[in-house]
Amino acid sequence: MDLTSAESKATYEQIQNYVLEKYDFKVSILYIAQVKRKYGLEVRKHYNISKNGNQKVPQCPIEKEEAILDALKHFKMIS
């Protein structure tokens, strides 16, 4: 049975909960968006953009990226 596009998408909250339950640490929405963007998944535009042009954006640590990847695979968003 094929999944519809809506069924194959997990919310950021579902991804956060999966990582928290399985790995016992929290991941931010920023890190999830970075990983999704890195692997070519759709990321919607956010509207909370800083007017400060030289803002430093934290990068997702490797261990959290691996946990997010596991969650994306669990929810069949990537293979």
Side-chain angles (χ1 to χ4, degrees):
M1 184 178 344
D2 291 335
L3 293 175
T4 65
S5 62
E7 291 172 333
S8 66
K9 293 182 182 179
T11 64
Y12 284 89
E13 185 178 0
Q14 288 172 316
I15 294 169
Q16 287 176 318
N17 289 337
Y18 178 85
V19 170
L20 181 60
E21 289 175 15
K22 186 167 183 181
Y23 295 96
D24 201 32
F25 58 77
K26 294 182 179 183
V27 292
S28 71
I29 291 173
L30 171 67
Y31 290 164
I32 296 170
Q34 287 175 352
V35 173
K36 287 177 75 173
R37 198 174 295 116
K38 182 177 179 178
Y39 288 90
L41 296 174
E42 180 183 337
V43 179
R44 295 187 181 154
K45 182 177 178 179
H46 65 90
Y47 298 98
N48 190 16
I49 299 173
S50 172
K51 291 178 178 42
N52 185 358
N54 60 354
Q55 180 180 357
K56 185 175 180 177
V57 178
Q59 295 300 307
C60 184
I62 288 291
E63 65 273 359
K64 291 190 177 190
E65 181 177 335
E66 291 172 353
I68 294 167
L69 276 175
D70 180 45
L72 295 175
K73 288 177 184 175
H74 172 77
F75 290 110
K76 296 177 177 47
M77 295 174 74
I78 60 173
S79 52

